[in-house]
Amino acid sequence: MDLFNHRLRLHADPSRVVVRPFHIARSAMNGQGQSRSQRMIDEVLAMTPQQAHEQLSAVLKDFEARHWQTRRVFTTRYEEIAEVHGLDASGISEEKRQLIGAYFCHEYSYAAAALMNPSAVPHPDQSGMPPGSQRIVMSLRAVGEGHISSVAFREGIITDDDELALAPEPPFATAADTRGMDGQDMPTGPVTVHRNRDSTLSGTVIFPITEAQSKGLEDLRLVHFTHDDGSIEWLGTYTAYNGASIQSELMRTRDFRSFDLVPMTGSAARNKGIALFPRTVNGEYLSIGRQDGENLYLLRSDRLDHWDDGELILTPVFPWELVQIGNCGPPIEVDEGWLLLTHGVGPMRKYSIGAALLDKNDPSKVLGRTREPILAAADQDREGYVPNVVYTCGAMRQDDKLFVPYGIADSSVGFAFVEISKLLALM
């Protein structure tokens, strides 16, 4: 397949760290029947001013240069803890407040193990873009300590000349937070997380919040969704993992500043890899799913957060996909129909990327599919955390081409451009 592989690569980086809330539920007790969190607070309040000053100075010496506005972060964290525990701040010194905040924080390297499985959508701000250029938002699966996955973002610009320029990462990353939920046990239902008001999107990380997500937010498939009334929303399906079971969930945002994380219901939502169409078709919400772990199905619903079993549309046929097939992100609307990137698993569990074309008015009809992969692990790209894998969670259209960010060996991220006409000609 004639496609242009961009020279840029993104890799795991253990130096990318954030300060995260260290959660101790208010109900958690120690061996003496005391509240663990209250005991910690009482210990700090009992310190002399000099002791508190020395302890805080030691913490700042270790961490202040590594994080964005560390003192403010500690103060904000104290305020969250104080609200839960009913602390009267009038008699607590500023240094003790910051020290209490520090005890309820920890440093986390969110991309130390891997960076992979990206998806891309048009950025909400296209102001100042010349013809042939488009600002983008890219999501990334970042894997850190404990093999826990989170969602990171990068902003950038792509052009008709197959150029890609990513906005620089800020020196400090910040975690999106839930505001006002601290001290509670992990919630079980929908939650809303907020980007720090002073942080760029490229410096924002969304970590697991709920019990269902406790071991990871995996493989966000972003889509630029146009509602029937013409309004725009950025949606993303992802897999919530708690160490024992998986659950499909939905991310919703209109500004990439606040994000609703919504568990999905229905029999198909018990599996991973649901990819939404970017608009309704014939008055229905549609998605592509893989309920049986092997084949692809067209799912229909009257709600974005409820998906039951659908109609079988694609099964493994060619040697490079005989083990199983799956989607590689939301279908992309082109003149000829819906262009669906797929992945196939072949001998030696080698992952490759192919494509299929679905009818625009009836996507259950498959008009064509590629006999050979359009992208497979090249010699220099085969080695990594999971060898012999190329995988994307979502490409986007750039005029007459597709921009395809893709994961390599579950370890790094590469980028490619492919002409839509040449892709269709392979079917």
Side-chain angles (χ1 to χ4, degrees):
M1 174 66 195
D2 184 17
L3 78 169
F4 173 73
N5 277 290
H6 198 277
R7 62 188 178 277
L8 180 63
R9 291 286 189 272
L10 300 180
H11 297 273
D13 183 358
S15 71
R16 298 296 296 174
V17 292
V18 295
V19 176
R20 290 188 63 190
F22 175 45
H23 291 284
I24 299 178
R26 190 178 181 184
S27 58
M29 299 293 177
N30 63 17
Q32 289 72 48
Q34 298 172 304
S35 163
R36 290 181 58 197
S37 54
Q38 188 61 54
R39 180 191 58 77
M40 291 162 55
I41 294 169
D42 292 342
E43 293 280 3
V44 175
L45 294 179
M47 291 180 184
T48 67
Q50 183 61 29
Q51 288 173 327
H53 173 78
E54 291 173 355
Q55 291 300 317
L56 181 61
S57 295
V59 172
L60 293 174
K61 181 181 178 180
D62 283 343
F63 297 102
E64 190 165 27
R66 291 169 59 86
H67 298 285
W68 169 88
Q69 297 189 352
T70 309
R71 295 170 188 261
R72 183 198 282 188
V73 172
F74 290 166
T75 298
T76 300
R77 190 76 181 107
Y78 162 79
E79 291 170 351
E80 295 169 349
I81 296 299
E83 182 177 354
V84 172
H85 286 267
L87 301 180
D88 182 4
S90 60
I92 303 176
S93 70
E94 179 62 27
E95 289 195 323
K96 286 189 177 183
R97 295 180 201 179
Q98 291 185 14
L99 187 56
I100 289 172
Y103 273 105
F104 287 88
C105 291
H106 73 122
E107 187 178 75
Y108 184 82
S109 180
Y110 63 88
L115 195 67
M116 57 187 177
N117 300 358
S119 66
V121 289
H123 196 286
D125 179 12
Q126 296 295 333
S127 60
M129 285 291 96
S133 297
Q134 191 170 185
R135 192 172 283 118
I136 67 168
V137 173
M138 184 170 60
S139 69
L140 299 151
R141 178 178 170 185
V143 184
E145 177 186 347
H147 198 73
I148 294 175
S149 297
S150 57
V151 177
F153 297 97
R154 290 295 296 271
E155 299 165 283
I157 294 173
I158 56 175
T159 73
D160 281 347
D161 297 325
D162 299 342
E163 281 301 316
L164 164 66
L166 293 180
E169 287 183 303
F172 307 118
T174 59
D177 65 77
T178 54
R179 295 181 189 171
M181 288 177 52
D182 196 82
Q184 303 176 20
D185 294 326
M186 297 184 84
T188 58
V191 295
T192 300
V193 296
H194 305 269
R195 186 172 116 202
N196 189 289
R197 61 184 180 273
D198 296 321
S199 177
T200 66
L201 184 57
S202 293
T204 298
V205 186
I206 299 178
F207 290 100
I209 297 293
T210 69
E211 181 61 38
Q213 306 164 357
S214 58
K215 295 299 180 181
L217 303 174
E218 301 179 356
D219 298 345
L220 179 66
R221 287 162 161 80
L222 282 175
V223 63
H224 178 266
F225 191 89
T226 303
H227 290 278
D228 290 344
D229 62 4
S231 64
I232 301 297
E233 189 175 12
W234 284 262
L235 305 175
T237 54
Y238 60 91
T239 302
Y241 176 57
N242 67 2
S245 60
I246 59 173
Q247 164 75 41
S248 286
E249 297 192 349
L250 178 67
M251 176 185 291
R252 312 185 69 156
T253 182
R254 292 187 182 270
D255 55 11
F256 285 94
R257 288 195 169 275
S258 63
F259 307 82
D260 296 326
L261 307 180
V262 183
M264 295 200 291
T265 58
S267 55
R270 293 193 294 269
N271 299 278
K272 59 170 62 179
I274 292 176
L276 300 171
F277 280 65
R279 63 172 176 86
T280 61
V281 178
N282 300 322
E284 293 181 302
Y285 297 112
L286 299 181
S287 67
I288 302 293
R290 189 181 68 188
Q291 292 86 283
D292 60 8
E294 180 181 350
N295 306 290
L296 284 175
Y297 294 78
L298 179 70
L299 314 181
R300 307 174 189 269
S301 181
D302 58 359
R303 289 167 41 191
L304 283 165
D305 60 354
H306 181 90
W307 299 96
D308 285 317
D309 292 341
E311 179 179 356
L312 178 66
I313 59 170
L314 286 166
T315 62
V317 173
F318 304 113
W320 59 275
E321 60 181 14
L322 282 185
V323 175
Q324 67 190 50
I325 59 173
N327 71 67
C328 270
I332 298 166
E333 189 167 8
V334 297
D335 292 342
E336 294 80 1
W338 294 103
L339 187 55
L340 175 68
L341 294 185
T342 64
H343 71 263
V345 182
M348 292 296 291
R349 198 174 174 262
K350 181 178 179 179
Y351 276 65
S352 303
I353 296 175
L357 183 68
L358 310 180
D359 185 85
K360 186 170 289 191
N361 295 315
D362 182 4
S364 67
K365 296 179 181 178
V366 179
L367 304 181
R369 61 195 292 186
T370 56
R371 289 181 167 271
E372 300 291 338
I374 64 170
L375 186 63
D379 289 343
Q380 68 272 21
D381 291 337
R382 292 176 60 182
E383 295 180 356
Y385 188 72
V386 180
N388 304 307
V389 171
V390 291
Y391 192 89
T392 181
C393 285
M396 62 174 281
R397 185 173 181 177
Q398 168 66 1
D399 292 336
D400 61 351
K401 298 178 181 178
L402 291 186
F403 168 63
V404 187
Y406 61 96
I408 301 166
D410 277 8
S411 300
S412 61
V413 173
F415 307 94
F417 292 85
V418 55
E419 293 185 26
I420 293 172
S421 60
K422 291 183 177 179
L423 182 53
L424 295 175
L426 295 176
M427 298 184 183

